[in-house]
Amino acid sequence: MLTGLSAGILWALDTVILGIALTLPPFSSAANAAILAPFISTFLHDAFSSVWMLSFTAARRQFKNVFYALKTKSGKYILLGALLGGPIGMSGYVAAIHLIGPGYTAVISSLYPALGALLSYFFLKEKMKSSQIIGLLLSVGGVIALGYSSAGNEELHLLPGFLCAALCCIGWASEGVICAYGMKDPNVSSAHALQIRQPVSALCYALIILPIIGGWQQTVSVPPKTALLIAMSALCGTASYLCYYRTIAKLGPPKAMALNITYSAWSLVFSFLFLHTLPDGKSLLFAAVVLLGALLSAMEFSRKTKE
């Protein structure tokens, strides 16, 4: 459970640092920065994360095992999960932000743990107790409330925006369930799965998405200071993914997802520390609901550990 909470904490730190990077050139000066910045930053984030994972895998001398895992049937499932969660899920997410704003996007995308629990029930035959379901619903509800309270009055393109957010939700939920199935193989560890995921995601952005949106020119013009911040955020994101994938393997997708979305609550803490943004009482209340629900959804595993 602590590993799952660590995933949320580290992803919140990743998000805040990446948000700071997006206020720097070239994102702050480009006329079409609002459209290109999310895609370019996601590519750079996953590319740097791939480098961090390569270093981690090299230090553990696991390259041979990763290549072996990639050749297995389970490795192919991890590959599919990487495509669904990375390029498909994240592209839907950033497109939805552009079309309907970050607030409404957060509301819809935060439903992915509930969808993941449903998919886990049908495909992995994984059941949850009523108290855990209540905890999951509390956590998801808290995130929805946080996102809804931050929704602005910007011009909205509702139908395409909602469809893109739904695509993100489906991609992220499917990634957790498919990767959980792949990691049932004892030869495919959570670290092996992440080593497969990150380069696949980065390559899809580099070879398909960036050429389609015409983003390579701005990508290569990113200055060192901005790149360094993105690299730092990617280090936090890599550690977060390692914790998240490990939690998926140990607790199952529903509980791992419920713990992971606590990043929306932890981001309030890091926003205060780094950006001096003081959250209001309503946001703090919703953040407490998110944390309470996540802890309740994973509490059964904690009792078994103590026994």
Side-chain angles (χ1 to χ4, degrees), residues 80-95:
L80 176 61
L83 292 172
L84 288 169
I88 294 176
M90 281 302 299
S91 294
Y93 184 70
V94 297

Side-chain angles (χ1 to χ4, degrees), residues 16-166:
V16 171
I17 296 175
L18 188 59
I20 295 172
L22 289 174
T23 64
L24 301 176
F27 308 121
S28 60
S29 56
N32 55 351
I35 301 175
L36 296 182
F39 294 99
I40 295 173
S41 61
T42 302
F43 160 68
L44 291 174
H45 181 279
D46 284 0
F48 281 122
S49 181
S50 299
V51 174
W52 292 123
M53 275 307 302
L54 286 170
S55 302
F56 180 74
T57 303
R60 297 173 68 239
R61 298 181 180 180
Q62 289 288 307
F63 281 120
K64 183 178 180 180
N65 293 334
V66 171
F67 284 120
Y68 175 78
L70 186 57
K71 293 178 181 179
T72 64
K73 183 179 180 181
S74 297
K76 300 298 190 299
Y77 279 111
I78 300 295
L79 199 65
L80 176 61
L83 292 172
L84 288 169
I88 294 176
M90 281 302 299
S91 294
Y93 184 70
V94 297
I97 288 175
H98 175 63
L99 292 169
I100 59 176
Y104 291 113
T105 300
V107 171
I108 302 170
S109 64
S110 63
L111 295 175
Y112 85 90
L115 179 58
L118 185 64
L119 294 175
S120 296
Y121 176 79
F122 284 110
F123 294 103
L124 300 180
K125 309 302 179 184
E126 184 169 327
K127 298 180 181 179
M128 297 181 71
K129 291 187 175 181
S130 57
S131 61
Q132 295 169 327
I133 295 175
I134 292 172
L136 175 63
L137 294 177
L138 270 176
S139 189
V140 171
V143 175
I144 290 175
L146 274 173
Y148 187 77
S149 64
S150 66
N153 296 318
E154 58 271 269
E155 182 182 353
L156 304 179
H157 301 80
L158 292 179
L159 182 58
F162 286 162
L163 289 176
C164 288

Side-chain angles (χ1 to χ4, degrees), residues 179-196:
C179 288
Y181 182 80
M183 287 186 290
K184 286 181 179 292
D185 188 334
N187 295 312
V188 182
S189 70
S190 54
H192 296 159
L194 187 57
Q195 179 63 84
I196 294 171

